């Protein structure tokens, strides 16, 4: 472990991160609202903390290795989550406890989108845009980590993607690879955000709302500037635009980068994860719309739009609302929650287990059935035309099992604090899958649950975003030995 | 597929099965109650149906092969489940629909112990003992299948036990192995039942109740002759005796057989599954008692007895009740339900995923964490001193995943019929894990849910009992090809 180098990197990240508070600060200054002081103090604390970490360690230039990757990735979201909470804590109008401020900040950075704030519509623009920016920043962080860092760490079968990373370097050293890849992916991410904002604006959103929602759409975040989320705009066009961009953002950004470089869409069709993901989303849309129409809860024409929108919003783990889906027959929200366990594709801003892993599990199940009927046959597991390595399969299985056990453990801990079953179940699913909205007592927001519960859910959000293993490995003694 | 031989075996099984209706018939004759006619007709139908299958196929003497094993094992529980329903259907006092009669019969034979009957205390003894006998018969069927058949079929990693089967034959042919093994295991099963009945009787149960409850204890069944189950006896001694026998019955009967032959208990201590199982049960008891005492729902001295009893009853998937645990703080019943996913050990009458599989999954998770920290190391997966084969691990993973997907699918189907979340969740867990009691609308019994729901739960009970794959494989086209 190179503590010096880790501190240096963390210090740089914090100083960079503090600059994101400049935008709300400027907006606050223009609007001349009472948030200016809070952002100024938060920015200063964050910047100087970063400086204090960087200064003594600035000479440490050890090459970062695999093991440092776990620590820095975990610290990225936890430390930024803590400092990101400062503006929320300093804003008196929000009246948040320290835990709540941290909850909001981590929910933003992990692109979960669960909120403890009510009365969004009346908040100053500076606070609102800060929440959206947290998600946007978290989103690009996720993509870079997923595409450049996790394959090197070998988390949950991500080593599968080692060879596929875009960018010139195929070095085993982390730093050059991350820098190159980050630049490429950031361009795609930025371009997508700009196009999304333009579409929203053309469809009738104000400039502010268009940018704010483009941030949280592309980040699969789900934060909104209105309590009623996307329903506020009362526009089917906006819902459809949002649906399209949620789907795009839930796909592998490595593929988007290729599409940009090659000016071609053909490789999407050949990608088995994209095909699997699209099929599952289509199945989910079909069931949602079908059940909505048959149950007659809302008019058939509304059922199609809202069914499509909610199915995509929950399956991709975005968590925008076009309707209060907690009022639908319980079957639907629970089913959608189950689909959110899939989440997006690898290398996207989506949460959940990821389509690639579910596909491998599915294929392995089929393979096992075949093996039972033909016990002597040697049946390889393939993805596309490539044979999947046994180590990858085993990593994916472990990921699935550990994910499930984490889910059950946090669920039971929450219920141990006295929370009812449906609230706890949906809250853990919504946090671990980085989805956002829950059911029961957390259907509208997370303000009403206990401080302990909020703390547990913060942990769940981090666990989900860090692909479980990145964080868990830090809790093993062997990680710190040597 | 040898249809002739399959029919012959099934015919013999049915004729043998019909003889179990003799006992309630005789009891009915002695008591001179109105159930005699029903049992006589049911017995005749079952016997002559068996004869009709056996007669034309009696000359078919093909050696049974692996593939026939799947079919016959699946048919054992489905066909016997259907014919076993006849006495319930013919008994007017019960007033059951055909689906309900089948539900009760399958619940008995799969040793689930979920019931659609209320007013047990006022039912004739003949009907009551028939229910208990169904469980007892189902129990020995399970053990024989688990120890002799499943390892040959290679279901969910059971090939691990191929070499460990007691009995003289280590042939690849199914028939001699089953016969030999069945005899050995049946002796152990019978001996355990007799000792259990004696203990119950000495502790104050009537002869009838002692025998009836010994049947359902050793079978991990959970059927009782009283609506209030074990609570009816108001005796802590009985609860403790029951706890001991539930634990014994949830362990591998192959080990019990060895203990008998070697007159030694030492090999239990060396068995890693037994150790894992005992640890989990102890953890569950500790949490249950601790939470009961801290929450102050019942007096501390009661908390210890009932905590111990309920923890063992649910974790082993027996499902006896000493208290209405649905009235405890929701955390406890939900936690116990989660533990029931483990269930018993391989080769026991318990349901669930089985301790061996959970242990392998747990070890594989630890191994994966080690692998992340030491990417270059080759870390073998061991059980005791033996290295576990990759095929076994892969089969266990698939089992776990398919089990979870079956759970979620049936849960959603039930909710699709309009059932609420906690009822559906507990009902599927209780059925798939062959546990019995649920929560919500199925806390007391399963009479109040729809016919569709009852049918789905019958399927879940069979799926759980047939270790998912045995049944699923019959739904694949490739099974019927060739
Ligand atoms: K989200
Ligand atoms: K049971």
């Amino acid at each position: 472990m190179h503590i010096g180098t880790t501190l240096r990197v963390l210090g740089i990240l914090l100083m960079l991160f503090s600059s994101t508070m400049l935008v709300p600060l400027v907006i606050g200054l223009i609007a001349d609202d009472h948030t200016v002081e809070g952002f100024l103090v938060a920015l200063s604390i964050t910047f100087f903390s970063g400086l204090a970490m960087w200064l003594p360690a600035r000479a440490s230039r050890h090459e970062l290795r695999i093991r440092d990757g776990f620590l820095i990735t975990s610290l990225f979201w936890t430390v930024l989550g803590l400092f990101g909470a400062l503006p929320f804590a300093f804003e008196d109008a929000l009246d948040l406890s320290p835990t709540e401020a941290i909850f909001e900040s981590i929910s933003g950075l992990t692109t979960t989108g669960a909120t403890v704030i009510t009365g969004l519509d009346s908040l100053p623009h500076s606070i609102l845009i800060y929440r959206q920016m947290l998600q946007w920043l978290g989103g690009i962080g996720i993509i870079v980590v997923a595409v450049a860092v996790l394959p090197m760490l070998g988390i949950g079968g991500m080593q599968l993607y080692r060879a596929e990373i875009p960018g010139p370097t195929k070095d085993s050293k982390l730093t050059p690879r991350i820098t190159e890849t980050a630049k490429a992916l950031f361009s795609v991410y930025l371009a997508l955000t700009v196009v999304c904002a333009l579409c929203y604006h053309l469809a009738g959103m104000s400039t502010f709302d268009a940018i704010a929602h483009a941030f949280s759409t592309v980040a699969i975040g789900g934060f909104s500037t209105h309590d009623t989320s996307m329903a506020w705009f009362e526009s089917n066009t906006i819902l459809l635009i949002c649906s399209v961009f949620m789907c795009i953002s839930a796909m592998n950004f490595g593929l988007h980068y290729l599409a940009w470089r090659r000016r071609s869409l053909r490789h999407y069709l050949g990608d088995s994860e994209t095909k699997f993901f699209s099929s599952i989303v289509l199945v989910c849309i079909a069931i949602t719309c079908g059940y909505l129409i048959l149950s007659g809860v809302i008019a058939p024409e509304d059922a199609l739009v809202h069914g499509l929108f909610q199915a995509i919003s929950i399956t991709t783990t975005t968590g925008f609302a076009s309707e209060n889906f907690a009022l639908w027959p319980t079957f639907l929200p629970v089913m959608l929650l189950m689909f959110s366990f899939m989440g997006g594709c690898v290398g996207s801003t989506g949460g959940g287990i990821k389509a690639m892993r579910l596909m491998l599990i599915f294929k392995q199940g089929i393979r096992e059935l075949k093996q039972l009927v033909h016990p002597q046959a040697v049946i390889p597991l393939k993805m596309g035309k490539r044979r999947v390595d046994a180590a990858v399969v085993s990593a994916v299985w472990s990921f699935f099992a550990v994910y499930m056990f984490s889910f059950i453990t946090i669920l039971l801990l929450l219920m141990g604090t006295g929370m009812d079953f449906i609230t706890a179940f949906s809250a853990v699913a919504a946090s671990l899958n980085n989805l956002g909205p829950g059911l029961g007592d957390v259907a509208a927001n997370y303000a009403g649950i206990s401080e302990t519960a909020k703390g547990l859910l913060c942990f769940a959000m981090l666990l989900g975003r860090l692909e479980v293993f990145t964080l868990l490995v830090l809790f093993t003694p062997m990680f710190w030995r040597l």
Side-chain angles (χ1 to χ4, degrees), chain A residues 6-25:
Chain A
T6 306
L7 275 178
R8 186 176 64 84
V9 172
L10 211 60
I12 295 172
L13 281 175
L14 267 183
M15 288 187 284
L16 283 175
F17 177 63
S18 72
S19 71
T20 57
M21 298 179 192
L22 275 176
V23 176
L25 181 63

Side-chain angles (χ1 to χ4, degrees), chain A residues 114-146:
Chain A
T115 186
V116 287
I117 300 175
T118 39
L120 290 173
D121 303 74
S122 59
L123 283 183
H125 277 192
S126 54
I127 288 282
L128 288 175
I129 200 73
Y130 176 64
R131 288 171 80 239
Q132 309 298 114
M133 283 182 71
L134 280 181
Q135 296 218 310
W136 195 66
L137 184 76
I140 184 64
I142 290 152
I143 296 173
V144 172
V145 165

Side-chain angles (χ1 to χ4, degrees), chain A residues 111-113 220-222 317-319 434-436:
Chain A
T111 77
T112 306
I220 304 276
T317 72
T318 315
N434 298 122
L435 162 63

Side-chain angles (χ1 to χ4, degrees), chain A residues 213-337:
Chain A
H213 285 88
F215 279 165
S216 57
T217 305
V218 176
I220 304 276
F223 268 162
S224 172
T225 55
H226 305 286
D227 282 339
T228 49
S229 188
M230 284 288 173
W232 190 85
F233 302 102
E234 294 181 348
S235 155
N236 283 350
T237 317
I238 286 178
L239 293 184
L240 292 176
I241 291 171
C242 183
S243 302
V244 171
F245 280 93
M246 289 191 287
C247 284
I248 294 174
S249 310
M251 288 177 191
N252 190 335
F253 272 68
L255 292 179
H256 297 331
Y257 177 74
L258 276 184
W260 194 21
R261 282 234 299 221
R262 295 188 187 161
R263 315 264 175 248
S264 154
L265 301 174
R266 212 187 309 156
H267 58 284
Y268 288 105
L269 298 173
D271 182 65
S272 41
E273 188 191 21
T274 308
K275 279 188 278 187
F276 183 82
F277 170 77
S278 314
S279 319
I280 299 284
V281 172
L282 283 177
V283 167
C284 182
I285 293 171
I287 301 177
T288 311
C289 292
Y291 199 89
L292 270 182
I293 291 173
L294 289 178
S295 68
V297 197
I298 50 179
E301 59 275 21
D302 288 342
L304 285 179
V305 178
H306 292 295
L308 174 93
F309 182 84
Q310 286 296 162
I312 293 176
S313 171
I314 306 294
T315 311
T316 60
T317 72
T318 315
F320 280 133
S322 70
E323 267 262 321
N324 187 350
F325 85 149
L327 299 180
W328 291 358
T330 335
F331 163 70
L332 280 175
V334 170
M335 183 204 68
L336 290 174
L337 272 183

Side-chain angles (χ1 to χ4, degrees), chain A residues 426-443:
Chain A
S426 64
V428 186
S431 303
L432 193 63
N433 296 336
N434 298 122
L435 162 63
L439 303 168
D441 295 345
V442 294

Side-chain angles (χ1 to χ4, degrees), chain A residues 3 12 43 51 109 118 185 193 203 233 244 260 295 317 323 364 423 436 480:
Chain A
I3 296 296
I12 295 172
L43 193 156
L51 196 67
L109 277 170
T118 39
L185 293 173
T193 312
F233 302 102
V244 171
W260 194 21
S295 68
T317 72
E323 267 262 321
Q364 173 78 2
T423 303
W480 299 101

